[in-house]
Amino acid sequence: MARKIIIDTDPGQDDAVAILLALACPEALDVLGVVAVAGNVPLPLTERNARIVTGLSGRTDVPVFAGEAAPLARPLVTAEHVHGQTGLDGPPLPEPHLPLDPEHGVDFIIRSLRAHPNQVTLCPLGPLTNIARAFQKAPDVIPLVQEIVLMGGAYFEVGNITPAAEFNIYVDPEAAEIVFQSGAPITMMPLDVTHQALTTAPRVAGFEAMGNHAGAMVAAWTGFFERFDKEKYGAAGAPLHDPCVIAYLLDSDLFSGRTINVEIETQSELTLGMTVADYWGVTDRKANALFIRDMDADGFYALLHDRIARLP
């Protein structure tokens, strides 16, 4: 039976690849909906991008919702310097032909968890604002969550938006604190693992060689997206962060980590948004997350190439 998931996202080129990967695997993943959140770019762009990407997959059965337009307690911080002014800069973008569902994304999350108790995995690829708002609005749904598999945080790699913080957590640390303290089962894909998923030239060429529109779009998106990280880190390519979430659901054997305590810094000016990961067990704080540290990058890209090639 396909695993029911909700993708919560702020597309973002790597978000787009993650969405396509999920929608390419209906036999394994039943995508109940895609919910946009403000993050990489403001909400009017993220919901538009989510509709464009979902439409590119050829799937017209997956609804797209708009969620929260701002963090719980702070002004929105965005990342046009990485993703471009649209959030999906690179190839020319078509107009979205999928409509935006009129239901608020937070209400959709709540309704879905109540309709499918302990059967829905939440897949946040951006700031955790929508998930936290759902937990605040309807605390009864927290024990109904099967699992949260998220991209966010770091420990050994530390920060990519500040010296101490990863972008998704930094944008809404109060939301992250609510989610990590909720008691829901959490698996996190931090920078420590996503930085191993580099878009090297042969891997990008694999998308170009597919001969389908989805493969060409992924190659073009990664070609744009990687320019920032290659300059910043001096690496051979850019990390494809968000597809790690979906790849984990498809083949968890590609990843390894350990269950630890993770706390979110919400007060310090220097370390705001830091994921304080007790990786070595030096405190007696209760473990609350599976922290993924390592991956089989070649296996990850083999999976990506195989599944993206299925799309139109």
Side-chain angles (χ1 to χ4, degrees), residues 69-99:
L72 297 184
R74 300 176 185 275
L76 177 65
V77 175
T78 55
E80 288 89 351
H81 62 290
V82 178
H83 299 279
Q85 292 304 306
T86 68
L88 284 181
D89 280 15
L93 296 176
E95 289 298 316
H97 64 264
L98 286 180

Side-chain angles (χ1 to χ4, degrees), residues 28 37 135 168 196 270:
V37 67
F135 288 180
N168 287 344
Q196 298 171 41
L270 285 176

Side-chain angles (χ1 to χ4, degrees), residues 126-149:
L128 290 164
T129 313
N130 287 337
I131 310 302
R133 188 67 80 189
F135 288 180
Q136 286 181 322
K137 187 174 182 179
D140 64 286
V141 304
I142 297 173
L144 305 182
V145 176
Q146 182 182 41
E147 186 178 5
I148 300 171
V149 183

Side-chain angles (χ1 to χ4, degrees), residues 100-293:
L100 184 68
D101 194 287
E103 185 178 16
H104 194 283
V106 170
D107 293 332
F108 166 72
I109 292 170
I110 293 169
R111 177 171 61 82
S112 299
L113 291 171
R114 287 173 174 165
H116 308 284
N118 306 114
Q119 298 177 53
V120 178
T121 296
L122 302 177
C123 301
L125 310 179
L128 290 164
T129 313
N130 287 337
I131 310 302
R133 188 67 80 189
F135 288 180
Q136 286 181 322
K137 187 174 182 179
D140 64 286
V141 304
I142 297 173
L144 305 182
V145 176
Q146 182 182 41
E147 186 178 5
I148 300 171
V149 183
L150 64 91
M151 190 278 130
Y155 177 53
F156 299 94
E157 288 281 339
V158 198
N160 65 353
I161 186 67
T162 74
E166 179 275 328
F167 178 82
N168 287 344
I169 305 299
Y170 177 80
V171 169
D172 199 343
E174 284 78 15
E177 182 179 46
I178 288 170
V179 172
F180 275 84
Q181 292 184 357
S182 69
I186 295 173
T187 296
M188 62 184 292
M189 298 287 163
L191 298 181
D192 305 87
V193 69
T194 66
H195 277 194
Q196 298 171 41
L198 295 180
T199 58
T200 61
R203 290 167 176 168
V204 175
F207 295 116
E208 293 173 337
M210 289 175 185
N212 62 344
H213 187 49
M217 292 295 284
V218 170
W221 279 328
T222 54
F224 178 88
F225 176 64
E226 68 180 4
R227 94 222 178 278
F228 176 82
D229 287 280
K230 288 170 75 172
E231 181 179 346
K232 179 178 180 180
Y233 297 109
L240 271 186
H241 306 284
D242 295 327
C244 291
V245 168
I246 306 302
Y248 176 82
L249 298 179
L250 295 171
D251 188 356
S252 61
D253 289 341
L254 294 172
F255 301 88
S256 63
R258 65 174 66 169
T259 303
I260 63 171
N261 176 268
V262 178
E263 302 292 336
I264 311 299
E265 176 56 59
T266 62
Q267 302 297 321
S268 169
E269 291 184 7
L270 285 176
T271 59
L272 180 69
M274 184 176 185
T275 45
V276 183
D278 187 11
Y279 196 83
W280 303 113
V282 297
T283 75
D284 59 359
R285 295 195 295 264
K286 183 179 178 181
N288 62 349
L290 173 58
F291 183 102
I292 302 297
R293 185 176 177 185

